Amino acid sequence: MYTPNGFAFNDLQALQQQILGTRLALLVTHGEQGLQASHLPLLLNPDEGPNGTLYGHFAKANPQWKELQDGAEALVIFAGAEAYVSPGFYPSKAEHGKVVPTWNYVAVHAYGSAEVFTDADRLRTLVSALTDRHEAGRAQPWKVADAPADYIDGMLKAIVGFALPIQRLQGKRKLSQNRNAADIAGVREGLAASPDAQDQALAHLMP
């Protein structure tokens, strides 16, 4: 990820918070079949390894897990808030007109090689933890134990789990830091006034 110094963030806790706040990640590998990518919900154990360890699973029918089994390095992309930045947000537009559109966003890239597993007890623990995370806050949260045991046993046979210790983390926050204070304020105010929830979320992150 191209990351000019002014846009980089390297604090481990902040990087992990972005990972924890991303509900669906993109896992990319390159192997004998070329580039492959899967959109996956992941769990992070922040205390396992120097940068934390990611856990998730593939459908067994998805051949990408075999790339991990063969030792391919994975890139996992955690995309955060993002918003289009109109030149009209900049007060400097009225001064000299030398402005163009851009995009503000937050992203974290994690790199590592994974261990794959098919042990039923380990998979059940994983899918239970994933379910509990995403059912949290619901009035009547669904649990894996709510389904018939034999049905869950069959479903577990159709997936492959993985543990991916994060070997390298890269974070980027492009929040108009390269503009002057007036332009930054103009972008923040313009996005905050937008009816789009993603625009508003990005505005809250700006300095």
Side-chain angles (χ1 to χ4, degrees), residues 40-204:
L40 304 170
L42 300 177
L43 292 174
L44 171 69
N45 182 333
D47 301 318
E48 188 175 325
N51 298 305
T53 297
L54 298 168
Y55 288 88
H57 64 83
F58 292 96
K60 191 172 287 186
N62 181 345
Q64 192 179 9
W65 68 266
K66 296 177 183 177
E67 302 286 1
L68 293 182
Q69 186 179 53
D70 291 342
E73 183 183 40
L75 162 63
V76 190
I77 300 170
F78 299 89
E82 47 83 11
Y84 169 74
V85 177
S86 169
F89 292 155
Y90 299 136
S92 58
K93 173 181 176 291
E95 298 173 14
H96 49 65
K98 297 178 181 179
V99 293
V100 293
T102 189
W103 216 277
N104 278 357
Y105 61 92
V106 178
V108 169
H109 288 188
Y111 302 83
S113 298
E115 167 215 357
V116 302
F117 57 88
T118 56
D119 176 76
D121 289 339
R122 197 172 177 190
L123 286 171
R124 185 178 290 103
T125 298
L126 170 60
V127 297
S128 296
L130 277 166
T131 299
D132 291 347
R133 176 189 175 188
H134 295 291
E135 288 283 332
R138 295 179 61 84
Q140 295 180 314
W142 183 86
K143 293 185 177 296
V144 171
D146 292 343
D150 58 344
Y151 172 76
I152 294 299
D153 289 343
M155 296 298 288
L156 293 177
K157 293 176 183 177
I159 63 175
V160 175
F162 64 88
L164 195 157
I166 300 172
Q167 295 162 354
R168 181 162 58 96
L169 275 171
Q170 185 180 24
K172 183 174 183 178
R173 283 183 175 145
K174 184 176 179 294
L175 302 173
S176 298
Q177 300 98 315
N178 57 326
R179 307 298 305 188
N180 62 41
D183 281 353
I184 292 174
V187 173
R188 183 174 59 248
E189 292 165 7
L191 294 177
S194 169
D196 189 284
Q198 294 189 74
D199 290 351
Q200 296 172 18
L202 196 287
H204 288 306

